[in-house]
Short mmCIF file of all heavy atoms in Angstrom, two decimals:
data_model
loop_
_atom_site.label_atom_id
_atom_site.label_comp_id
_atom_site.label_asym_id
_atom_site.label_seq_id
_atom_site.Cartn_x
_atom_site.Cartn_y
_atom_site.Cartn_z
N PHE A 204 14.37 -21.04 21.20
CA PHE A 204 14.02 -22.17 20.40
C PHE A 204 13.22 -21.93 19.13
O PHE A 204 13.18 -22.69 18.16
CB PHE A 204 13.49 -23.40 21.17
CG PHE A 204 14.46 -24.00 22.12
CD1 PHE A 204 14.35 -23.70 23.49
CD2 PHE A 204 15.48 -24.85 21.73
CE1 PHE A 204 15.21 -24.33 24.48
CE2 PHE A 204 16.44 -25.31 22.59
CZ PHE A 204 16.15 -25.10 23.88
N HIS A 205 12.46 -20.90 19.28
CA HIS A 205 11.54 -20.55 18.17
C HIS A 205 11.33 -19.08 18.10
O HIS A 205 10.61 -18.44 19.06
CB HIS A 205 10.26 -21.28 18.29
CG HIS A 205 9.25 -20.85 17.17
ND1 HIS A 205 9.62 -21.02 15.85
CD2 HIS A 205 8.08 -20.36 17.12
CE1 HIS A 205 8.63 -20.66 15.08
NE2 HIS A 205 7.61 -20.15 15.81
N ASP A 206 11.80 -18.41 17.01
CA ASP A 206 11.77 -16.95 16.86
C ASP A 206 10.72 -16.60 15.84
O ASP A 206 11.24 -16.73 14.59
CB ASP A 206 13.19 -16.34 16.69
CG ASP A 206 13.16 -14.87 16.46
OD1 ASP A 206 12.10 -14.22 16.83
OD2 ASP A 206 14.21 -14.18 16.11
N PRO A 207 9.58 -16.19 16.10
CA PRO A 207 8.54 -15.93 15.09
C PRO A 207 9.07 -14.77 14.18
O PRO A 207 8.61 -14.75 13.01
CB PRO A 207 7.33 -15.40 15.95
CG PRO A 207 7.60 -15.96 17.20
CD PRO A 207 8.98 -15.96 17.48
N LEU A 208 9.95 -13.97 14.61
CA LEU A 208 10.51 -12.97 13.74
C LEU A 208 11.23 -13.47 12.43
O LEU A 208 11.21 -12.86 11.39
CB LEU A 208 11.55 -12.15 14.41
CG LEU A 208 11.00 -11.28 15.59
CD1 LEU A 208 12.17 -10.47 16.35
CD2 LEU A 208 10.01 -10.27 15.19
N GLN A 209 11.78 -14.69 12.61
CA GLN A 209 12.44 -15.30 11.45
C GLN A 209 11.36 -15.73 10.32
O GLN A 209 11.82 -15.82 9.19
CB GLN A 209 13.14 -16.53 11.78
CG GLN A 209 14.36 -16.32 12.79
CD GLN A 209 15.40 -15.38 12.21
OE1 GLN A 209 15.56 -15.41 10.92
NE2 GLN A 209 16.06 -14.46 13.07
N ASP A 210 10.15 -15.87 10.75
CA ASP A 210 9.10 -16.29 9.72
C ASP A 210 8.28 -15.08 9.30
O ASP A 210 7.26 -15.18 8.65
CB ASP A 210 8.09 -17.21 10.37
CG ASP A 210 8.75 -18.76 10.40
OD1 ASP A 210 9.62 -18.92 9.52
OD2 ASP A 210 8.31 -19.53 11.13
N SER A 211 8.74 -13.86 9.73
CA SER A 211 7.90 -12.60 9.34
C SER A 211 8.31 -12.28 7.97
O SER A 211 9.11 -12.82 7.29
CB SER A 211 8.31 -11.41 10.29
OG SER A 211 9.60 -11.06 10.08
N LEU A 212 7.66 -11.24 7.45
CA LEU A 212 7.88 -10.80 6.05
C LEU A 212 9.19 -10.10 6.01
O LEU A 212 9.69 -9.82 4.83
CB LEU A 212 6.77 -9.86 5.61
CG LEU A 212 5.30 -10.50 5.57
CD1 LEU A 212 4.39 -9.50 5.10
CD2 LEU A 212 5.42 -11.74 4.65
N PHE A 213 9.89 -9.69 7.07
CA PHE A 213 11.13 -8.91 7.09
C PHE A 213 12.33 -9.94 7.24
O PHE A 213 12.40 -10.58 8.36
CB PHE A 213 11.10 -7.82 8.14
CG PHE A 213 9.96 -6.83 7.88
CD1 PHE A 213 8.77 -7.01 8.47
CD2 PHE A 213 10.19 -5.79 7.03
CE1 PHE A 213 7.80 -6.02 8.25
CE2 PHE A 213 9.10 -4.87 6.68
CZ PHE A 213 7.98 -4.95 7.37
N SER A 214 13.15 -10.01 6.32
CA SER A 214 14.33 -10.95 6.38
C SER A 214 15.25 -10.50 7.53
O SER A 214 16.00 -11.20 8.05
CB SER A 214 15.05 -11.12 4.99
OG SER A 214 15.43 -9.76 4.59
N ASN A 215 15.24 -9.07 7.81
CA ASN A 215 16.18 -8.56 8.80
C ASN A 215 15.49 -8.37 10.18
O ASN A 215 15.76 -7.46 10.86
CB ASN A 215 16.85 -7.37 8.34
CG ASN A 215 15.80 -6.22 8.16
OD1 ASN A 215 14.66 -6.44 7.88
ND2 ASN A 215 16.35 -4.97 8.18
N ALA A 216 14.40 -9.14 10.39
CA ALA A 216 13.50 -8.83 11.60
C ALA A 216 14.19 -9.12 12.89
O ALA A 216 13.81 -8.64 13.89
CB ALA A 216 12.29 -9.71 11.55
N SER A 217 15.35 -9.77 12.74
CA SER A 217 16.07 -9.94 14.08
C SER A 217 16.90 -8.76 14.51
O SER A 217 17.54 -8.75 15.54
CB SER A 217 16.91 -11.28 14.11
OG SER A 217 17.79 -11.22 13.01
N SER A 218 16.96 -7.77 13.50
CA SER A 218 17.68 -6.64 13.90
C SER A 218 16.86 -5.59 14.48
O SER A 218 15.56 -5.76 14.57
CB SER A 218 18.36 -5.90 12.66
OG SER A 218 17.30 -5.57 11.77
N VAL A 219 17.47 -4.48 15.04
CA VAL A 219 16.65 -3.54 15.80
C VAL A 219 15.60 -2.91 14.76
O VAL A 219 14.38 -2.73 15.09
CB VAL A 219 17.50 -2.42 16.46
CG1 VAL A 219 16.76 -1.24 16.99
CG2 VAL A 219 18.28 -3.04 17.53
N GLN A 220 16.14 -2.33 13.69
CA GLN A 220 15.19 -1.74 12.69
C GLN A 220 14.26 -2.68 12.14
O GLN A 220 13.12 -2.36 12.02
CB GLN A 220 16.10 -1.26 11.50
CG GLN A 220 15.24 -0.46 10.48
CD GLN A 220 14.66 0.76 11.13
OE1 GLN A 220 15.22 1.53 12.08
NE2 GLN A 220 13.48 1.07 10.57
N GLY A 221 14.60 -3.93 11.89
CA GLY A 221 13.68 -4.93 11.29
C GLY A 221 12.52 -5.24 12.28
O GLY A 221 11.40 -5.26 11.99
N PHE A 222 12.91 -5.28 13.57
CA PHE A 222 11.85 -5.48 14.59
C PHE A 222 10.87 -4.34 14.67
O PHE A 222 9.69 -4.52 14.76
CB PHE A 222 12.53 -5.81 15.95
CG PHE A 222 11.55 -5.87 17.13
CD1 PHE A 222 10.84 -7.07 17.21
CD2 PHE A 222 11.34 -4.87 18.00
CE1 PHE A 222 9.89 -7.23 18.20
CE2 PHE A 222 10.32 -4.97 18.99
CZ PHE A 222 9.57 -6.15 19.09
N ARG A 223 11.43 -3.17 14.52
CA ARG A 223 10.46 -2.00 14.69
C ARG A 223 9.51 -1.93 13.53
O ARG A 223 8.38 -1.63 13.55
CB ARG A 223 11.25 -0.71 14.79
CG ARG A 223 12.04 -0.60 16.10
CD ARG A 223 12.91 0.68 16.16
NE ARG A 223 13.74 0.68 17.41
CZ ARG A 223 14.67 1.58 17.67
NH1 ARG A 223 14.96 2.55 16.81
NH2 ARG A 223 15.40 1.51 18.87
N GLU A 224 10.11 -2.21 12.40
CA GLU A 224 9.22 -2.33 11.18
C GLU A 224 8.07 -3.35 11.25
O GLU A 224 7.02 -3.21 10.99
CB GLU A 224 10.09 -2.55 9.92
CG GLU A 224 10.98 -1.41 9.56
CD GLU A 224 11.93 -1.74 8.34
OE1 GLU A 224 11.81 -2.84 7.94
OE2 GLU A 224 12.70 -0.82 7.84
N TRP A 225 8.63 -4.49 11.76
CA TRP A 225 7.72 -5.64 11.96
C TRP A 225 6.60 -5.36 12.94
O TRP A 225 5.45 -5.76 12.76
CB TRP A 225 8.50 -6.88 12.32
CG TRP A 225 7.73 -8.07 12.63
CD1 TRP A 225 6.99 -8.94 11.78
CD2 TRP A 225 7.38 -8.61 13.96
NE1 TRP A 225 6.46 -9.88 12.42
CE2 TRP A 225 6.60 -9.85 13.82
CE3 TRP A 225 7.82 -8.18 15.23
CZ2 TRP A 225 6.10 -10.50 14.88
CZ3 TRP A 225 7.33 -9.01 16.35
CH2 TRP A 225 6.48 -10.09 16.14
N SER A 226 6.98 -4.68 14.03
CA SER A 226 6.03 -4.40 15.16
C SER A 226 5.16 -3.17 15.07
O SER A 226 4.26 -2.91 15.71
CB SER A 226 6.84 -4.22 16.45
OG SER A 226 7.75 -3.22 16.48
N GLY A 227 5.60 -2.27 13.95
CA GLY A 227 4.82 -1.12 13.68
C GLY A 227 5.26 0.06 14.46
O GLY A 227 4.60 1.08 14.50
N ARG A 228 6.43 -0.06 15.14
CA ARG A 228 6.84 0.99 16.03
C ARG A 228 7.88 1.87 15.21
O ARG A 228 8.65 1.38 14.35
CB ARG A 228 7.58 0.41 17.26
CG ARG A 228 6.67 -0.22 18.17
CD ARG A 228 7.50 -0.39 19.62
NE ARG A 228 7.47 -1.74 19.83
CZ ARG A 228 8.44 -2.27 20.67
NH1 ARG A 228 9.41 -1.61 21.00
NH2 ARG A 228 8.38 -3.57 21.15
N SER A 229 8.04 3.12 15.56
CA SER A 229 9.05 3.98 15.04
C SER A 229 10.06 4.42 16.10
O SER A 229 11.10 5.21 15.70
CB SER A 229 8.39 5.26 14.54
OG SER A 229 7.59 5.95 15.52
N SER A 230 9.96 3.99 17.29
CA SER A 230 10.92 4.34 18.33
C SER A 230 11.13 3.16 19.31
O SER A 230 10.24 2.23 19.24
CB SER A 230 10.38 5.58 19.14
OG SER A 230 9.20 5.19 19.89
N PRO A 231 12.07 3.09 20.18
CA PRO A 231 12.28 2.12 21.08
C PRO A 231 11.06 2.02 22.16
O PRO A 231 10.96 0.90 22.73
CB PRO A 231 13.51 2.45 21.85
CG PRO A 231 14.19 3.39 20.87
CD PRO A 231 13.12 4.15 20.26
N GLN A 232 10.32 3.01 22.21
CA GLN A 232 9.21 2.99 23.21
C GLN A 232 8.07 2.14 22.86
O GLN A 232 7.62 2.26 21.62
CB GLN A 232 8.65 4.49 23.60
CG GLN A 232 9.79 5.41 24.04
CD GLN A 232 10.47 4.78 25.26
OE1 GLN A 232 9.79 4.22 26.22
NE2 GLN A 232 11.71 4.88 25.38
N PRO A 233 7.46 1.31 23.59
CA PRO A 233 6.44 0.45 23.25
C PRO A 233 5.01 1.28 23.16
O PRO A 233 4.21 1.25 24.15
CB PRO A 233 6.37 -0.57 24.33
CG PRO A 233 6.95 0.09 25.59
CD PRO A 233 7.94 1.01 25.05
N THR A 234 4.83 1.99 22.05
CA THR A 234 3.62 2.86 21.99
C THR A 234 2.42 2.12 21.81
O THR A 234 1.29 2.48 22.13
CB THR A 234 3.84 3.77 20.75
OG1 THR A 234 4.04 3.00 19.59
CG2 THR A 234 5.01 4.64 20.95
N VAL A 235 2.44 0.90 21.20
CA VAL A 235 1.29 0.14 21.03
C VAL A 235 1.51 -1.39 21.42
O VAL A 235 2.71 -1.81 21.28
CB VAL A 235 0.70 0.12 19.55
CG1 VAL A 235 0.26 1.51 19.19
CG2 VAL A 235 1.83 -0.45 18.69
N GLU A 236 0.56 -2.11 21.90
CA GLU A 236 0.67 -3.53 22.22
C GLU A 236 0.59 -4.18 20.89
O GLU A 236 -0.42 -4.08 20.08
CB GLU A 236 -0.36 -3.92 23.23
CG GLU A 236 -0.30 -5.33 23.63
CD GLU A 236 -1.24 -5.75 24.55
OE1 GLU A 236 -2.01 -4.84 25.14
OE2 GLU A 236 -1.44 -6.89 24.92
N HIS A 237 1.54 -5.03 20.61
CA HIS A 237 1.55 -5.84 19.38
C HIS A 237 1.20 -7.23 19.61
O HIS A 237 1.61 -7.81 20.46
CB HIS A 237 2.96 -5.74 18.83
CG HIS A 237 3.05 -6.46 17.53
ND1 HIS A 237 2.54 -6.03 16.38
CD2 HIS A 237 3.71 -7.74 17.28
CE1 HIS A 237 2.86 -6.96 15.35
NE2 HIS A 237 3.48 -8.03 15.92
N THR A 238 0.35 -7.73 18.71
CA THR A 238 -0.06 -9.10 18.68
C THR A 238 0.50 -9.74 17.30
O THR A 238 0.22 -9.30 16.26
CB THR A 238 -1.63 -9.30 18.68
OG1 THR A 238 -2.09 -8.58 19.84
CG2 THR A 238 -2.00 -10.72 18.66
N ARG A 239 1.26 -10.82 17.58
CA ARG A 239 1.82 -11.55 16.37
C ARG A 239 0.69 -12.34 15.71
O ARG A 239 0.09 -13.25 16.26
CB ARG A 239 3.01 -12.46 16.89
CG ARG A 239 4.07 -11.75 17.40
CD ARG A 239 5.13 -12.65 18.04
NE ARG A 239 6.31 -11.90 18.56
CZ ARG A 239 7.22 -12.49 19.25
NH1 ARG A 239 7.16 -13.69 19.61
NH2 ARG A 239 8.24 -11.73 19.64
N SER A 240 0.43 -11.98 14.42
CA SER A 240 -0.68 -12.51 13.76
C SER A 240 -0.38 -13.67 12.91
O SER A 240 -1.21 -14.42 12.50
CB SER A 240 -1.37 -11.43 12.83
OG SER A 240 -0.36 -10.82 12.13
N GLU A 241 0.94 -13.88 12.56
CA GLU A 241 1.22 -14.87 11.67
C GLU A 241 1.20 -16.25 12.27
O GLU A 241 1.65 -16.43 13.31
CB GLU A 241 2.67 -14.68 11.09
CG GLU A 241 2.98 -15.76 10.04
CD GLU A 241 4.38 -15.42 9.36
OE1 GLU A 241 4.87 -14.35 9.59
OE2 GLU A 241 4.80 -16.36 8.66
N ASP A 242 0.52 -17.09 11.51
CA ASP A 242 0.36 -18.44 12.06
C ASP A 242 1.58 -19.24 12.16
O ASP A 242 2.27 -19.49 11.12
CB ASP A 242 -0.74 -19.28 11.25
CG ASP A 242 -0.98 -20.63 11.74
OD1 ASP A 242 -0.48 -20.94 12.88
OD2 ASP A 242 -1.56 -21.43 10.97
N PRO A 243 2.09 -19.53 13.32
CA PRO A 243 3.40 -20.23 13.44
C PRO A 243 3.38 -21.63 12.77
O PRO A 243 4.46 -22.27 12.58
CB PRO A 243 3.66 -20.37 14.94
CG PRO A 243 2.32 -20.37 15.53
CD PRO A 243 1.50 -19.48 14.61
N LEU A 244 2.19 -22.18 12.43
CA LEU A 244 2.11 -23.55 11.75
C LEU A 244 2.17 -23.49 10.42
O LEU A 244 2.06 -24.46 9.69
CB LEU A 244 0.90 -24.26 12.36
CG LEU A 244 0.75 -24.45 13.85
CD1 LEU A 244 -0.45 -25.18 14.17
CD2 LEU A 244 1.91 -25.18 14.45
N ALA A 245 2.29 -22.24 9.80
CA ALA A 245 2.12 -22.10 8.32
C ALA A 245 3.34 -22.70 7.57
O ALA A 245 3.23 -23.10 6.41
CB ALA A 245 1.98 -20.58 7.99
N ARG A 246 4.40 -22.70 8.04
CA ARG A 246 5.56 -23.24 7.48
C ARG A 246 5.94 -24.68 7.90
O ARG A 246 6.02 -24.91 9.14
CB ARG A 246 6.77 -22.29 7.74
CG ARG A 246 6.52 -20.89 7.39
CD ARG A 246 7.90 -20.07 7.31
NE ARG A 246 8.52 -20.30 6.15
CZ ARG A 246 9.77 -19.70 5.89
NH1 ARG A 246 10.27 -18.78 6.64
NH2 ARG A 246 10.44 -20.00 4.74
N THR A 247 6.08 -25.50 6.85
CA THR A 247 6.06 -26.98 7.29
C THR A 247 7.14 -27.63 6.52
O THR A 247 7.68 -27.02 5.50
CB THR A 247 4.72 -27.63 6.95
OG1 THR A 247 4.54 -27.65 5.50
CG2 THR A 247 3.57 -27.09 7.69
N LEU A 248 7.61 -28.81 7.01
CA LEU A 248 8.58 -29.64 6.21
C LEU A 248 8.00 -31.00 6.06
O LEU A 248 7.25 -31.45 7.01
CB LEU A 248 9.91 -29.78 6.99
CG LEU A 248 10.79 -28.60 6.94
CD1 LEU A 248 11.95 -28.67 7.87
CD2 LEU A 248 11.21 -28.19 5.59
N LEU A 249 8.13 -31.68 5.04
CA LEU A 249 7.55 -32.99 4.71
C LEU A 249 8.61 -34.00 5.45
O LEU A 249 9.77 -34.00 5.30
CB LEU A 249 7.65 -33.30 3.18
CG LEU A 249 7.15 -34.69 2.77
CD1 LEU A 249 5.63 -34.87 3.17
CD2 LEU A 249 7.32 -34.93 1.40
N VAL A 250 7.91 -34.83 6.45
CA VAL A 250 8.66 -35.74 7.20
C VAL A 250 8.06 -37.16 6.89
O VAL A 250 6.76 -37.27 6.84
CB VAL A 250 8.59 -35.41 8.63
CG1 VAL A 250 9.30 -36.54 9.42
CG2 VAL A 250 9.19 -34.14 8.86
#
């Protein structure tokens, strides 16, 4: 219902390569623990 990757700086973040770029990884192995830093409340709509 809410994919933070869509709000990342990478428009193709939902792809394998885009996710690795976004997460800072160069391989499928989880070499580092990643913390999503972007504020999910940053994008709004006027209602």
Side-chain angles (χ1 to χ4, degrees):
F204 288 109
H205 178 56
D206 183 8
L208 295 179
Q209 297 299 328
D210 281 337
S211 72
L212 297 178
F213 298 95
S214 61
N215 65 335
S217 57
S218 66
V219 172
Q220 184 60 33
F222 174 75
R223 292 177 185 173
E224 292 175 356
W225 174 77
S226 62
R228 292 196 233 151
S229 59
S230 70
Q232 302 301 320
T234 55
V235 294
E236 183 178 351
H237 178 74
T238 302
R239 293 170 179 170
S240 58
E241 184 171 347
D242 180 9
L244 302 182
R246 306 191 74 178
T247 65
L248 286 171
L249 181 65
V250 176

